[in-house]
Amino acid sequence: MTGAAADTLNKPGTAPARTMRALTLVADRKIELLEVAAPPAPGAGEVQIAIKAIGLNHIDVWGWRGMAFAKRKLPLIVGVEAAGEIAAVGSDVTSVKPGERVVAYGALTCGQCKACREGRDNLCENVASIMGFHVDGFARDLVNMPARLVVKIPDGVNFRDAACAPVAFGTVQHMLFDNAKLEPGETILVQAGGSGIGTSAIKMAKAIGSTVITTVGDDAKAEKAKALGADHVINYKTERFESIVRKLTGKKGVDVAFEHVGPDTFNGSLLCLKRGGRLVTCGSTSGQSITMNLFQLYLQQYRIFGSFGCSLRNIGESLAKMAAGLTPVIDTEVPLAEFERGLNRLEGRQVFGKIIVTF
Ligand SMILES: [Zn+2]
């Protein structure tokens, strides 16, 4: 080992240990906290991050349950979304220094293709894998990453909040502003407003001056959604959200529908749109397939956006929002060893906001 990497690794407070903790999915629904080999010093173009916080997302639940179509091998270190501190850098890395706080992009994009060069990282033509889903993720003490895939955390944003930037905030930022192009004064329907991305969407939409209608599954969540600033909250278990949205909008419908629930709500969300309205979706937690009325689609001139992940720019925008005071809603913080308790809570839809795993 030579050069800056060796110097950095020898500094006190970085990680001289040869083993580290890693939360490892060993079988479907079976996660163990294992001692595994620590990564080598970062190579050229790489940084080594000491992980401080992980954000849980539905993709973690999918991964934990097991997905027949996902190409991957167990054991697999979990964790898709993370914040940490630079522990060491490769000899040629000048963009970040040891001790700086960063979040990491959650997919190993190529950095070379047209989409990557244009900053549309989530449309990379050669994306290798999603961290924590296809390949080893962030739920470990140390991880080596390409330096170009980390984004610095601004002063005043803590690790817990920053850990929500790469997936939760980044995804919502991309959905609302790159895809649906939500504008001040427009009305948006946010489905499942109590979820990690639902709470983020409510706050981001209110922050630009949109009117927010949201759905939740119980009255306690309704109170919390109102406290976040939602203008109208509908308990979808006791009321038909389609009819209420029509009433609230004087039969016109909303400008934008924010979807991630899937079959249970998708056609209802379409019905809530005004003519020419936009539906943006990033998830399908209630299933995979629906039947759609094509007459309605073209006569009403709906625009439907599929959205997955975000760009590096969106992560920077998300962190900037946090620094300006628009922070994520945190449901629970659990220690590393209780990761599965967090997953159980997320799967059971008991959450209001994000679940964070701390190191
Ligand atoms: Zn690429």
Side-chain angles (χ1 to χ4, degrees):
M1 197 163 39
T2 56
D7 293 341
T8 309
L9 273 183
N10 291 334
K11 279 185 187 163
T14 55
R18 305 186 78 89
T19 64
M20 63 173 180
R21 298 172 301 166
L23 261 185
T24 309
L25 184 67
V26 293
D28 287 347
R29 287 189 177 270
K30 192 159 193 280
I31 290 179
E32 291 177 356
L33 187 57
L34 302 178
E35 278 293 318
V36 302
E46 282 189 337
V47 296
Q48 186 167 88
I49 309 170
I51 299 296
K52 303 292 185 188
I54 298 275
L56 291 190
N57 292 282
H58 261 281
I59 191 167
D60 295 297
V61 174
W62 292 120
W64 176 55
R65 279 180 191 156
M67 284 188 109
F69 61 81
K71 282 185 188 158
R72 58 183 190 153
K73 276 199 298 209
L74 301 183
L76 179 88
I77 300 172
V78 298
V80 179
E81 183 178 43
E85 190 177 290
I86 298 288
V89 300
S91 54
D92 59 342
V93 172
T94 54
S95 53
V96 285
K97 295 195 292 284
E100 286 187 322
R101 303 174 323 124
V102 295
V103 297
Y105 196 71
L108 298 173
T109 56
C110 77
Q112 311 283 327
C113 72
K114 185 165 183 285
C116 280
R117 290 196 317 270
E118 290 173 355
R120 295 178 299 130
D121 315 68
N122 50 334
L123 288 169
C124 174
E125 295 162 22
N126 309 303
V127 63
S129 303
I130 297 175
M131 305 275 293
F133 190 75
H134 301 106
V135 294
D136 285 338
F138 295 108
R140 48 177 150 168
D141 287 313
L142 293 169
V143 60
N144 288 1
M145 287 289 288
R148 64 179 179 82
L149 293 181
V150 303
V151 180
K152 282 187 208 174
I153 302 173
D155 289 343
V157 178
N158 61 34
F159 285 123
R160 181 194 72 182
D161 290 351
C164 303
V167 178
F169 259 42
T171 298
V172 174
Q173 175 74 22
H174 186 55
M175 290 171 77
L176 293 185
F177 304 112
D178 294 344
N179 284 324
K181 297 196 163 47
L182 179 69
E183 292 190 2
E186 288 192 317
T187 300
I188 180 172
L189 169 67
V190 175
Q191 292 288 11
S195 61
I197 60 165
T199 50
S200 310
I202 292 171
K203 289 187 82 167
M204 285 192 197
K206 283 311 297 177
I208 67 155
S210 301
T211 299
V212 174
I213 304 172
T214 191
T215 62
V216 294
D218 64 56
D219 290 341
K221 285 186 187 176
E223 285 308 309
K224 290 179 182 171
K226 280 223 177 81
L228 284 189
D231 298 279
H232 308 282
V233 185
I234 303 166
N235 182 338
Y236 65 84
K237 291 205 172 137
T238 56
E239 302 173 294
R240 262 180 61 84
F241 70 84
E242 298 92 328
S243 357
I244 304 212
V245 169
R246 291 194 68 74
K247 263 185 219 150
L248 289 171
T249 55
K251 296 193 181 166
K252 271 164 88 180
V254 297
D255 300 281
V256 172
F258 179 93
E259 252 294 335
H260 52 116
V261 176
D264 286 358
T265 55
F266 195 95
N267 276 320
S269 293
L270 279 179
L271 277 174
C272 290
L273 289 178
K274 67 166 58 159
R275 186 168 297 144
R278 295 96 78 194
L279 182 149
V280 61
T281 181
C282 73
S284 192
T285 50
S286 64
Q288 281 187 41
S289 304
I290 58 158
T291 302
M292 186 188 291
N293 183 328
L294 295 177
F295 285 177
Q296 184 197 346
L297 173 66
Y298 63 76
L299 288 172
Q300 296 290 64
Q301 302 170 60
Y302 295 148
R303 283 168 284 171
I304 299 177
F305 299 88
S307 199
F308 187 71
C310 67
S311 66
L312 281 161
R313 172 179 52 82
N314 294 139
I315 295 178
E317 290 163 346
S318 299
L319 289 165
K321 285 187 174 180
M322 291 179 192
L326 202 172
T327 51
V329 177
I330 307 296
D331 174 90
T332 326
E333 289 182 61
V334 297
L336 187 59
E338 292 175 34
F339 192 90
E340 273 184 303
R341 179 161 72 86
L343 288 178
N344 270 314
R345 192 170 165 81
L346 191 57
E347 188 183 39
R349 297 200 185 174
Q350 301 156 306
V351 292
F352 191 86
K354 288 283 286 182
I355 298 175
I356 301 296
V357 179
T358 52
F359 279 64

